[in-house]
Amino acid sequence: MRRMFRWGGLLIALLVLFSIALAQDDPSPETIFQAFLDDLRNDIEILADRTFPLAERPDNWIGNDDFTSDSMLADLFIDNELLADQIYGAGQRPANWIGVSSTVADLIARNIRHDLELSAIAILGEDIRPEDWRGGPRLFQCSQSLMNIIYVLEIEYRISANTPTTVLDYCDSLRVEAVEELVPAAVGGQTIENIPDLLLAVRGDLERLADEVLGVNNRPGGWIDNTSVDDPAFIADLTTDLNQIADIILDNRRPEGWNSLISQTDNQAALLSLRFNLELLTDVAFGFDNRPNGWQGATEIFRCSPVVQSLANLVVNTYPYEIPQTSATGRDFCIIVEASANFAVENPPPPEVLEEIAAEEFAIQFRAESRNAFTYDDSAATVYYGVLPWGTEFRAWYRNFGDSTMMFVSGDGFALYIDRRWTTMSEETFRTLPTLEGVIPMTFCDASWCNGPAPTPTPTGSGPLLDIINSGTQPAQPVLQVTADADVSGKQLVNWNNIRINYLLFREDVGLAQVTLEICRDANQLVCEPVISVFDSTTQQGVPAVSQSAGLNVYQLPFGYSTRFTIEGETLFSEDIWLTDPSLGGGQ
């Protein structure tokens, strides 16, 4: 008896060892993706057992259950399509079947799970699954467009949905969260203008539909007819009336796609759902291309579901995608938009193309225009090259250290240093530029406006120009250019520091200011005389006075430093002038 026990114990030990060996030959998934593929194969086989006669398989069934093989995903797709042919008929599929739509492995697997769940509903029922059914995330039972909205939000914006998977109508609840909260958060808030007017247009079109269906001024009992868009109950009353007419037209049923959850707090989300429901109802009552006279819902995109509109808006803001230009209308238009937006999400450009797009967008971020900025050969502003004309475009590359506002830029025929404050570039963008640490850019200036190299113009007192120069390093000491024996009608030459300017009007749109001018004997501007002539060397004509103020001529001149004008008083003249940009806080 003991001998038999010993042999029995040995047999049990051998069986255990054999079981371990078998387990080692049947590895467990090592990644989430492998586990997902393994679950798909399990559930496809379960449904095939219930679908094919005698649980057999067609001759071309693959049945690959090696989730580590390179062909596993393709084999799952083929078998799932063979299963669908058996359930729906060869080549026949439900309207919301996805099939082949992507080149991304994760999305292909997700879409197979979505389609398999459709087949399970057709064979087993809406919420009926066998005990050994593994299933997948509940999200994968929602529409392709809603799945792609959540996918883009998570991948590109790191925004996740909060809708519990335990709610009764998960996909509809998730749709509300995505349309009302998540997509607006990603794209920066509301994207539709004149929402109150558009809501009133829904109210008006609902009345037109009611006139056609019930007769003019004939309405069911309980009809509210609230036309005050500022009334807090407006959305609720509009929803009630729309449902009343829908009950009459549809005999208390609703068409597929009807939005039963209408936001009472978000007017944009309410507009999308109410307009879509109204258009859907009118399609049923009059046909896809027919509308009552005076219909105001002329924008085709509003005939698409809120999910499709939200997806298109999200994709436009995320990928190189534009809503298709097409002559299609109504349902056909929405099918084209939905298909193109989903394709853009599931088939992104290759990485090198995305890198090129990102680089171009990055470059655009640092493009701006000059506002008569001084240009220099270095960040210390010691060698001057002239004024970068108003409106000249440039691309910024580097900024100076610390609190300096100097930056290295390039454009058509130049690569020099300018001050950010004399451009359209914001300080926030400027601060994101890389610094000059370890970089010595090559400078040049071949443009027609280049006057350098020349000494840097400097003022004798404080002011915007001094701040600009000091933003680099210490400037050269100011030098007063005075010639004792001037050769212009016996007048004395002074420089632009000696010109007293009174600013009357800034025309920032064209970079001009209207000013009165006095020219003074020294930079202290104590002994001055009225300017009686301004000569433009570019046009070889005098600049006419536009009016007079306080007995002085009013001239219209450009912002910034310029050597194109000769400024004359009775005994003094200057060959340069400086008009400050209004953004720097007024005149001298």
Side-chain angles (χ1 to χ4, degrees):
M1 188 65 116
R2 279 180 197 169
R3 184 178 300 171
M4 290 183 62
F5 178 80
R6 285 198 298 271
W7 279 108
L10 180 60
L11 180 60
I12 292 173
L14 289 173
L15 288 173
V16 170
L17 290 173
F18 182 69
S19 299
I20 293 174
L22 287 177
Q24 289 175 344
D25 291 337
D26 186 19
S28 299
E30 295 181 355
T31 66
I32 295 175
F33 186 66
Q34 287 182 357
F36 191 89
L37 298 182
D38 192 39
D39 292 344
L40 272 174
R41 172 54 65 189
N42 176 82
D43 293 351
I44 286 177
E45 296 297 338
I46 288 174
L47 198 59
D49 286 341
R50 288 160 173 75
T51 302
F52 290 107
L54 303 176
E56 295 179 355
R57 303 290 188 270
D59 293 338
N60 49 353
W61 186 269
I62 299 175
N64 180 7
D65 61 359
D66 180 5
F67 46 74
T68 65
S69 69
D70 293 337
S71 64
M72 178 66 168
L73 189 59
D75 295 342
L76 285 168
F77 175 81
I78 291 171
D79 288 350
N80 194 49
E81 293 294 325
L82 290 172
L83 181 61
D85 283 342
Q86 180 68 22
I87 295 171
Y88 305 109
Q92 303 298 311
R93 298 293 185 272
N96 49 352
W97 187 269
I98 299 177
V100 180
S101 66
S102 179
T103 57
V104 180
D106 288 345
L107 296 179
I108 294 172
R110 179 202 72 180
N111 293 346
I112 293 174
R113 168 57 67 180
H114 171 274
D115 292 346
L116 178 61
E117 294 294 337
L118 291 180
S119 296
I121 292 173
I123 295 298
L124 305 172
E126 184 73 36
D127 298 314
I128 301 173
R129 297 293 186 274
E131 286 187 8
D132 49 354
W133 186 270
R134 297 180 186 174
R138 200 172 178 192
L139 168 65
F140 297 169
Q141 298 181 36
C142 301
S143 70
Q144 181 184 13
S145 294
L146 185 53
M147 288 193 298
N148 279 334
I149 286 176
I150 302 304
Y151 174 76
V152 174
L153 289 171
E154 290 180 344
I155 296 298
E156 302 292 344
Y157 296 92
R158 301 296 185 267
I159 295 175
S160 298
N162 295 314
T163 300
T165 58
T166 55
V167 298
L168 181 61
D169 195 343
Y170 172 75
C171 291
D172 206 31
S173 298
L174 181 63
R175 171 191 65 81
V176 172
E177 182 187 8
V179 172
E180 295 184 15
E181 302 176 22
L182 305 183
V183 173
V187 303
Q190 291 188 344
T191 57
I192 302 175
E193 298 179 354
N194 303 321
I195 291 177
D197 292 341
L198 293 172
L199 283 169
L200 284 174
V202 174
R203 174 83 251 178
D205 286 348
L206 176 60
E207 297 296 334
R208 292 177 180 87
L209 177 62
D211 284 343
E212 294 288 336
V213 173
L214 305 174
V216 177
N217 297 326
N218 185 21
R219 298 292 185 270
W223 189 265
I224 302 174
D225 193 22
N226 184 352
T227 58
S228 177
V229 74
D230 295 326
D231 186 345
F234 178 82
I235 299 295
D237 293 344
L238 181 56
T239 303
T240 298
D241 287 350
L242 179 59
N243 278 307
Q244 285 197 72
I245 194 69
D247 287 340
I248 294 172
I249 295 174
L250 303 172
D251 192 23
N252 296 313
R253 294 188 297 271
R254 294 295 181 268
E256 183 178 354
W258 183 273
N259 291 317
S260 57
L261 298 178
I262 308 295
S263 174
Q264 302 300 305
T265 57
D266 186 317
N267 283 354
Q268 176 169 288
L271 169 66
L272 297 182
S273 294
L274 289 168
R275 170 54 72 179
F276 174 74
N277 284 352
L278 178 60
E279 297 288 346
L280 197 61
L281 184 61
T282 310
D283 285 342
V284 174
F286 292 95
F288 297 121
D289 297 322
N290 296 317
R291 289 296 182 266
N293 291 331
W295 195 260
Q296 299 179 72
T299 305
E300 291 298 333
I301 193 67
F302 285 155
R303 295 184 65 176
C304 305
S305 72
V307 167
V308 171
Q309 292 188 57
S310 297
L311 174 65
N313 190 19
L314 184 62
V315 177
V316 164
N317 281 272
T318 309
Y319 299 108
Y321 168 82
E322 295 181 357
I323 293 177
Q325 300 296 316
T326 173
S327 60
T329 59
R331 174 179 291 185
D332 293 338
F333 172 82
C334 295
I335 290 173
I336 292 172
V337 171
E338 183 173 19
S340 67
N342 280 317
F343 184 87
V345 172
E346 298 186 15
N347 299 274
E352 58 271 17
V353 175
L354 289 176
E355 289 176 4
E356 291 177 4
I357 293 170
E360 181 61 25
E361 291 177 349
F362 187 75
I364 291 172
Q365 175 187 0
F366 295 117
R367 294 190 187 278
E369 293 183 0
S370 168
R371 291 297 181 256
N372 290 342
F374 279 24
T375 60
Y376 305 99
D377 189 58
D378 59 5
S379 61
T382 59
V383 180
Y384 170 72
Y385 268 87
V387 176
L388 189 60
W390 183 280
T392 303
E393 292 186 354
F394 63 84
R395 201 278 203 203
W397 297 95
Y398 303 101
R399 64 180 175 88
N400 203 8
F401 303 101
D403 294 330
S404 172
T405 52
M406 297 294 286
M407 58 184 176
F408 178 75
V409 304
S410 67
D412 187 11
F414 66 93
L416 295 164
Y417 292 86
I418 64 175
D419 189 287
R420 177 202 65 80
R421 291 174 293 175
W422 298 89
T423 72
T424 59
M425 179 174 288
S426 68
E427 183 175 1
E428 291 76 12
T429 300
F430 172 79
R431 290 299 169 191
T432 63
L433 283 168
T435 68
L436 287 162
E437 183 177 5
V439 180
I440 305 177
M442 181 178 294
T443 60
F444 69 91
C445 195
D446 297 331
S448 59
W449 50 265
C450 296
N451 291 329
T456 300
T458 57
T460 57
S462 62
L465 183 58
L466 186 60
D467 292 340
I468 292 172
I469 298 170
N470 285 338
S471 70
T473 59
Q474 290 297 318
Q477 293 300 312
V479 177
L480 183 62
Q481 301 175 6
V482 179
T483 303
D485 52 351
D487 191 26
V488 178
S489 304
K491 297 179 181 180
Q492 179 178 316
L493 175 64
V494 297
N495 79 345
W496 63 284
N497 294 290
N498 297 38
I499 300 176
R500 179 190 294 168
I501 303 174
N502 179 38
Y503 295 84
L504 302 177
L505 175 66
F506 287 113
R507 297 186 59 194
E508 297 181 64
D509 57 330
V510 291
L512 298 174
Q514 290 186 9
V515 296
T516 61
L517 304 174
E518 296 174 89
I519 191 166
C520 309
R521 293 191 179 278
D522 58 36
N524 292 324
Q525 300 183 358
L526 297 176
V527 180
C528 306
E529 59 191 41
V531 169
I532 57 176
S533 172
V534 178
F535 182 80
D536 188 341
S537 61
T538 303
T539 63
Q540 291 295 306
Q541 293 180 350
V543 176
V546 296
S547 63
Q548 282 201 330
S549 175
L552 299 173
N553 290 334
V554 177
Y555 297 98
Q556 184 164 270
L557 300 172
F559 301 148
Y561 175 77
S562 177
T563 58
R564 61 185 272 198
F565 300 105
T566 300
I567 314 298
E568 292 187 58
E570 185 177 351
T571 64
L572 305 170
F573 78 99
S574 173
E575 294 181 338
D576 57 358
I577 187 172
W578 169 265
L579 266 66
T580 189
D581 187 307
S583 67
L584 295 181
Q588 294 174 318

